Amino acid sequence: MQETTDDYLKHITEREFAGGIVQQAKALGWLVGFVWNSKHSPAGFPDLTMVRPPRVIFAELKRMKGKTSVHQEQWLHELRDCPGVETYLWRPSDRDQIDEVLA
């Protein structure tokens, strides 16, 4: 039985999702930093930080039904208020937007 795109999107792990974005971003010339283990990071700090001057991106990654925490929302809100900083909340279904942003 062939897995549909919707099935794949529902079952992709956040780690797999992040790995694909990191690989793509690096291939496109972005410098990428990521939270390896949230236990040793500030609560809610975004999963990915990507830099390719003059742009700086912070991205929080979630599975299809994943929810953001209060701390994650606070980080995204504060970063969004910084001139020139781009913030995103990305899910596996956002591939088209991710491709466009990183291009």
Side-chain angles (χ1 to χ4, degrees):
M1 185 172 180
Q2 188 172 347
E3 185 176 47
T4 66
T5 301
D6 286 343
D7 289 335
Y8 172 75
L9 294 178
K10 288 179 193 173
H11 294 97
I12 188 172
T13 67
E14 193 172 305
R15 178 175 279 185
E16 292 167 332
F17 180 44
I21 294 172
V22 168
Q23 183 178 11
Q24 177 183 7
K26 286 181 176 181
L28 293 169
W30 291 88
L31 183 63
V32 181
F34 54 90
V35 174
W36 183 260
N37 184 335
S38 61
K39 290 180 184 179
H40 301 291
S41 300
F45 191 80
D47 295 312
L48 297 178
T49 303
M50 296 175 279
V51 178
R52 189 177 70 186
R55 297 174 63 202
V56 177
I57 293 175
F58 290 91
E60 180 61 38
L61 308 178
K62 290 291 176 192
R63 293 181 65 164
M64 289 304 293
K65 292 188 178 188
K67 306 269 189 243
T68 54
S69 71
V70 171
H71 295 292
Q72 290 167 331
E73 290 290 335
Q74 182 181 14
W75 270 101
L76 291 174
H77 175 77
E78 294 294 326
L79 288 166
R80 201 172 289 126
D81 286 345
C82 295
V85 172
E86 299 174 48
T87 61
Y88 298 95
L89 172 60
W90 283 333
R91 299 178 187 283
S93 60
D94 295 324
R95 282 303 331 177
D96 289 343
Q97 181 195 38
I98 295 166
D99 293 346
E100 185 177 311
V101 168
L102 295 179

